Amino acid sequence: MPLVHFMKSSTNEFTDFFATNGSLVVLGSVSQGARNILASRQAMLPVDGSVRWNLTDSVCTIQHFPNITFVASETATDKTFQLSGIMHAIAGGNCSTTYFSTRFTVSKNTTTQISNLNPHSGSLINYDGFIIDASQDPCFMDY
């Protein structure tokens, strides 16, 4: 398995989202390359795998609900999308709401010029989580 991938579990494995020279930016903190991205994730999430994204088989489940998406920029080789949304973190029967905004840049197919949005394709060049705003707002779904 190539080293430059995003995590399957919280902090100890990668799947193949990021390009080899990809970067993860969280509130201005930049991590580039597999080892640095993994270290960043390990600093944010527990190593025991108890926090999982969009799964229901863990101690804490995080569900993302993107609600506004647009193209922020585009070149011949890549396309950057910006989105805002709501994230629910569910643990111990409690749910918290966080608002977020991200920009992510993916590579394009060199022949078709179509953005590669396929998961696990190594096309994610940059992921920039530039707003993460916890709130006291209730979750809008029952868990």
Side-chain angles (χ1 to χ4, degrees), residues 59-77:
V59 174
C60 180
T61 299
I62 298 176
Q63 295 285 346
H64 286 88
F65 301 95
N67 58 16
I68 299 172
T69 304
F70 62 90
V71 175
S73 66
E74 186 170 11
T75 71
T77 59

Side-chain angles (χ1 to χ4, degrees), residues 24-52:
L24 169 67
V25 182
V26 178
L27 298 177
S29 179
V30 179
S31 302
Q32 186 166 13
R35 283 183 175 82
N36 292 328
I37 292 169
L38 181 58
S40 178
R41 293 290 292 200
Q42 287 172 334
M44 290 185 280
L45 298 171
V47 176
D48 67 3
S50 61
V51 175
R52 301 288 297 262

